[in-house]
Amino acid sequence: MGAAVETPSMPEECRVIDPDTYFDHNRPPANLQWAHDAVAAFVGRQGSSRPIVLVTSGGTTVPLENNTVRFVDNFSAGTRGSASAEQFLELGYAVLFLYREQSLQPFSRQYSQRSECIFDYLRPDGHGGVSVKAEYTAKMLDGLTKYEKYKPQLLQVAFTTLSDYLFLLREITLILAPTGARTMLYLAAAVSDFFIPSHSMAEHKIQSGAGALTLRMNQVPKFLRPLVKNWAPSCFVVSFKLETDPELLAPKAKHALEKYGHHVVVANLLNTRKWQVWLVTRGQDPCLLQISQEQLLQGHDIEQDIVAELARRHREYTSAGALANASADAALAAAP
Ligand code: 9Z3
């Protein structure tokens, strides 16, 4: 099945394939061409100075059958991604939001939590129409006003499966690459580490008559490597690391930074992720961002703090790049 990066003596299903090989062996999503055209047009409309961010959000599914009835999924609701997208918009970024279909979206996220129904916010107005219940009007008006204001700076692209996500991620980052340092890649989606290659998958629905089901899954190639090295080498790249064991979090975040050579890892634990994260950068102590339970209850999202700090670091990165370009231009101009 293609280039393996582990020893050739390993059984095929234990080897990690080369990321490029992945694309040769899996089908692109139906919206790939649409996404290509929409993203290229969106980026073209942003002029040459507005900062751009790609926010990835929500979990990927991993199908068990080619004609998919069943799939493996994960917990991510897209809270981090959708809340972060709102913050980036408020800071003047153009936002590309690559999100899991039916997960939370910027501004409407407050009204699409799984436990609630949109009708809970509405009432018949007595004249054959509907209106928003008085207790929700101010908050809804605020969200709606922001949504209308920021809509021109927001492009949303949906994925469902791991494969959709990876194809779209590559397509979009390749389009963003020429924008260089002014673009941030903020990779908050919860991407599966394991998958079943299309050629090893059952074609039709797995039958239950055979008794217990044993699954063998391959490791997903590490796409951060080609993303940082080849697809978008000048962009400011922020990845996320999720663990459940506190002992593993810091070493694994540092390891990811060293391995992929990008800029920041946002490290979080499953159970405390809504009020505590660490920003991990090479050569520095991890920077803890934390909000209190009181702030959380008052509706303060930790994404406000994460995005403010990352936008600050991104500005530094962009101006360092601009300074380097200016001195290279000056050296060229001064050359005989
Ligand atoms: C994250 O760690 C995100 O913060 C969460 C957000 C998925 C925890 P929610 O959507 O959760 O607000 O409910 N995302 C990255 C998780 C991930 O898959 N990281 C990979 C890893 O840890 C590397 S890119 O190995």
Side-chain angles (χ1 to χ4, degrees):
M1 121 153 215
V5 292
E6 300 295 337
T7 56
S9 59
M10 291 173 104
E12 187 203 7
E13 60 276 6
C14 298
R15 290 184 229 152
V16 185
I17 59 159
D18 177 273
D20 287 329
T21 309
Y22 179 92
F23 294 109
D24 297 336
H25 290 263
N26 289 278
R27 248 176 263 145
N31 65 346
L32 189 67
Q33 187 59 50
W34 171 85
H36 175 97
D37 297 345
V39 170
F42 180 79
V43 172
R45 282 199 300 275
Q46 303 310 323
S48 58
S49 58
R50 186 189 282 281
I52 301 172
V53 65
L54 168 68
V55 175
T56 71
S57 182
T60 58
T61 67
V62 171
L64 304 188
E65 299 122 341
N66 277 317
N67 289 287
T68 308
V69 174
R70 303 185 185 89
F71 51 84
V72 177
D73 202 349
N74 67 54
F75 69 95
S76 172
T79 310
R80 175 84 83 224
S82 55
S84 301
E86 291 173 11
Q87 296 305 317
F88 280 116
L89 286 163
E90 299 218 15
L91 292 181
Y93 277 77
V95 176
L96 278 159
F97 188 62
L98 178 58
Y99 75 107
R100 161 73 179 279
E101 185 133 47
Q102 288 177 17
S103 68
L104 299 178
Q105 289 171 262
F107 305 113
S108 66
R109 69 189 167 102
Q110 319 272 9
Y111 308 100
S112 48
Q113 308 288 348
R114 280 169 195 166
S115 56
E116 288 162 17
C117 167
I118 187 74
F119 293 146
D120 291 335
Y121 299 96
L122 305 174
R123 61 173 185 77
D125 68 1
H127 306 286
V130 284
S131 63
V132 176
K133 285 181 186 165
E135 63 268 40
Y136 300 119
T137 305
K139 207 172 157 213
M140 231 186 209
L141 182 63
D142 180 55
L144 178 62
T145 309
K146 285 182 175 156
Y147 176 70
E148 291 294 339
K149 176 176 174 191
Y150 293 123
K151 216 159 56 169
Q153 270 95 258
L154 174 65
L155 178 68
Q156 312 200 63
V157 178
F159 65 83
T160 300
T161 66
L162 168 77
S163 182
D164 298 349
Y165 172 81
L166 293 174
F167 272 97
L168 288 162
L169 179 69
R170 181 177 67 160
E171 199 71 23
I172 295 172
T173 50
L174 287 171
I175 296 169
L176 289 171
T179 63
R182 93 179 146 106
T183 291
M184 183 192 305
L185 307 178
Y186 182 92
L187 308 175
V191 183
S192 177
D193 284 324
F194 305 101
F195 79 119
I196 304 178
S198 189
H199 71 263
S200 313
M201 232 186 279
E203 191 56 26
H204 293 288
K205 181 181 168 227
I206 298 168
Q207 296 299 310
S208 57
L213 174 66
T214 305
L215 292 178
R216 189 190 283 276
M217 300 179 99
N218 286 25
Q219 205 182 323
V220 173
K222 299 294 182 193
F223 283 89
L224 210 43
R225 191 188 293 279
L227 181 144
V228 174
K229 276 185 77 178
N230 309 324
W231 300 347
S234 308
C235 295
F236 185 74
V237 181
V238 178
S239 75
F240 281 69
K241 173 58 71 184
L242 174 73
E243 291 296 339
T244 54
D245 178 350
E247 297 294 311
L248 290 180
L249 188 60
K252 292 203 78 173
K254 284 183 192 147
H255 179 69
L257 266 186
E258 270 145 34
K259 195 162 161 195
Y260 305 118
H262 59 302
H263 305 96
V264 184
V265 175
V266 182
N268 53 181
L269 291 165
L270 183 66
N271 294 331
T272 60
R273 68 188 191 281
K274 291 191 194 292
W275 62 88
Q276 200 176 48
V277 305
W278 289 264
L279 304 191
V280 184
T281 3
R282 251 184 317 281
Q284 283 174 18
D285 285 337
C287 160
L288 171 65
L289 298 180
Q290 186 161 239
I291 60 170
S292 65
Q293 293 302 310
E294 239 182 329
Q295 285 177 296
L296 195 65
L297 289 174
Q298 284 161 4
H300 180 102
D301 294 321
I302 193 170
E303 286 75 15
Q304 289 175 32
D305 307 69
I306 302 174
V307 169
E309 177 57 21
L310 289 173
R312 190 189 65 73
R313 294 186 189 197
H314 183 210
R315 275 193 301 277
E316 282 178 6
Y317 176 78
T318 312
S319 11
L323 269 180
N325 284 341
S327 49
D329 288 349
L332 265 179

